[in-house]
Amino acid sequence: MPFSPEIPEDHAFLAQAIELSRHALEDEGKTPFGALVVIDGEVIATGTSSVIELRDPTAHAEVMALRAAGSKLGRHLLEGAVMYSSSEPCPMCLVACYWAHVSRLVYAATSHDVAVNGFEDFQYYRELTAPNSERTLLEEVSVDGETRKIAAAALASWADKMPFPVEPKL
Ligand SMILES: [Zn+2]
């Protein structure tokens, strides 16, 4: 595992995530991915890929697990949580783990294994390292000038309303 040394319980939790991924074989509208959010050795929430079922392109297993964990715990930040995933998260789910302040990520199959079976994760990881001009999302446009100033002012107005000084995170 690339992020930290394995610990004995990793295998048991990964086995649960993999079992969740197998639901796709029986449940219509699922794709073969499963994830668990674990805090202090307790499974807080699980997620399965529900993109087709919910008609939601963001309803990946890890995102579903984060949503369920947030709902159960009544908070969106999950410091101390471990995300166990049946396979290496796609870029969106990886960043969702960052947004949630998940402390550790452990996965079983790799992006290569996922790609071999027809999913685009690997391509999207490659895409993110390509210059904008070479990406397949051809309408990715950033404007300068007045429009940017108006949008940036909306951000600054929000920051000014905070009860504490907002720290730039550049
Ligand atoms: Zn994903």
Side-chain angles (χ1 to χ4, degrees):
M1 315 250 162
F3 297 100
S4 61
E6 291 182 56
I7 57 174
E9 68 187 23
D10 285 349
H11 292 279
F13 287 127
L14 282 177
Q16 287 185 53
I18 294 165
E19 191 56 35
L20 284 170
S21 79
R22 297 184 66 81
H23 284 197
L25 298 173
E26 294 104 37
D27 297 345
E28 199 175 330
K30 298 283 188 187
T31 45
F33 304 97
L36 311 176
V37 173
V38 173
I39 298 178
D40 294 332
E42 183 192 346
V43 177
I44 303 298
T46 65
T48 56
S49 181
S50 306
V51 169
I52 300 163
E53 179 188 23
L54 299 178
R55 295 165 182 81
D56 176 353
T58 68
H60 290 194
E62 297 89 342
V63 167
M64 296 299 282
L66 290 173
R67 288 176 185 168
S71 179
K72 182 171 179 180
L73 298 174
R75 56 189 162 92
H76 64 285
L77 297 179
L78 305 171
E79 279 98 350
V82 183
M83 173 68 78
Y84 289 95
S85 182
S86 61
S87 58
E88 186 173 0
C90 74
M92 174 184 73
C93 291
L94 177 62
V95 175
C97 289
Y98 277 101
W99 282 119
H101 294 191
V102 164
S103 300
R104 194 165 167 262
L105 166 66
V106 185
Y107 56 83
T110 67
S111 286
H112 182 269
D113 299 322
V114 173
V116 163
N117 288 288
F119 294 93
E120 293 90 346
D121 304 45
F122 215 41
Q123 292 173 9
Y124 294 152
Y125 270 112
R126 255 200 316 266
E127 183 108 352
L128 289 177
T129 63
N132 279 13
S133 59
E134 292 175 20
R135 294 183 187 172
T136 57
L137 187 62
L138 294 175
E139 294 300 319
E140 189 173 338
V141 173
S142 170
V143 295
D144 253 328
E146 203 51 39
T147 304
R148 177 186 171 187
K149 278 186 199 159
I150 294 166
L155 294 167
S157 298
W158 176 87
D160 288 345
K161 279 178 61 181
M162 291 293 102
F164 49 85
V166 171
E167 198 179 308
K169 296 186 175 75
L170 298 170

